[in-house]
Amino acid sequence: MESATWPVYSPFARKHYGKGVQVGRTEGRAEGRAEGRAEGRAEDVLTVLQVRGIPVSDADRDRITSCTDLNRLDDWMRRAVTATSTADLFDDTPERSVG
């Protein structure tokens, strides 16, 4: 059972133990915030389209909600204000890797 106490008491462990976990948590939080911003922006785009009475197909809804590129979502948000259809959102949108 002595090995169970090693991480707690060794000088090496006191210096290094848990550092990778902290980095992972920090990166995870940042990633979670970015995903949250993208999800929120996608919902904003869909809300503007809904309020304007523009129908959104399931495929278009999936395309909007699965997008994680904030620049693209910002472009779609601006276009949603004047769009007459979802096709107007996607016109001239270069196909980039979503993610």
Side-chain angles (χ1 to χ4, degrees):
M1 288 288 180
E2 191 174 321
S3 65
T5 61
W6 175 84
V8 178
Y9 297 111
S10 84
F12 175 84
R14 276 186 257 147
K15 182 176 180 182
H16 300 287
Y17 187 75
K19 292 216 181 214
V21 173
Q22 286 292 28
V23 170
R25 286 182 187 156
T26 301
E27 290 170 355
R29 282 189 202 115
E31 185 177 313
R33 284 191 297 271
E35 288 174 10
R37 284 192 299 272
E39 288 172 9
R41 181 51 52 133
E43 289 301 318
D44 292 344
V45 171
L46 293 170
T47 297
V48 169
L49 295 171
Q50 177 188 18
V51 168
R52 298 197 59 238
I54 297 172
V56 179
S57 71
D58 288 341
D60 289 342
R61 180 176 304 279
D62 288 345
R63 182 174 180 184
I64 293 166
T65 59
S66 66
C67 182
T68 58
D69 182 333
L70 286 171
N71 291 327
R72 178 180 287 171
L73 288 163
D74 286 342
D75 288 343
W76 289 347
M77 182 64 183
R78 284 188 286 279
R79 292 175 184 187
V81 174
T82 59
T84 58
S85 71
T86 55
D88 292 340
L89 291 181
F90 307 131
D91 279 350
D92 301 319
T93 301
E95 289 302 322
R96 296 183 260 181
S97 169
V98 174

